């Protein structure tokens, strides 16, 4: 028979915090991946404005990560993204 263990409120809070932190980092990764890094060069105001909104989203995601105590992790995500971009340019 399986023993049921009691979960403390502290354990539950910690698990929820870990899930939210992972969601924040994933949102940051997604924002970086979807961003048009050359929007500034567009003559189309729609493309430019969309790029501005996307850049704002990236800054907001990073700010949320920092406020959640994930500054180091957010920087690692950004550096990994840059490395992938550099590798893609070479091919």
């Amino acid at each position: 028979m399986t023993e049921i263990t009691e979960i403390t409120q502290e354990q539950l809070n910690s698990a929820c915090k870990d899930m939210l932190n992972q969601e924040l980092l994933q949102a940051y990764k997604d924002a970086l991946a979807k961003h048009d890094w050359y929007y500034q060069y567009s003559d189309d105001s729609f493309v430019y404005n969309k790029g501005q909104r996307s850049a704002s989203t990236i800054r907001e995601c990073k700010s949320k990560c920092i406020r959640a105590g994930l500054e180091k992790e957010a920087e690692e995500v950004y550096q990994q993204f840059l490395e992938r971009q550099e590798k893609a340019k070479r091919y």
Side-chain angles (χ1 to χ4, degrees), residues 25-89:
L25 289 171
Q26 188 60 51
Y28 186 48
K29 287 178 188 178
D30 292 345
L32 289 169
K34 293 177 184 176
H35 183 62
D36 176 2
W37 293 94
Y38 301 99
Y39 78 92
Q40 302 98 322
Y41 303 109
S42 178
D43 293 332
D44 184 338
S45 64
F46 177 79
V47 172
Y48 184 83
N49 291 332
K50 184 179 176 186
Q52 287 283 73
R53 288 189 304 274
S54 177
S56 178
T57 298
I58 290 170
R59 286 190 298 274
E60 182 63 28
C61 284
K62 186 170 184 182
S63 292
K64 286 180 180 180
C65 288
I66 291 169
R67 287 194 304 271
L70 300 170
E71 185 171 2
K72 180 182 173 194
E73 292 86 344
E75 185 59 32
E76 288 173 0
V77 165
Y78 185 69
Q79 290 303 320
Q80 290 170 357
F81 176 78
L82 289 180
E83 289 171 12
R84 284 194 306 273
Q85 291 294 97
E86 285 299 315
K87 285 180 184 176
K89 284 182 185 178

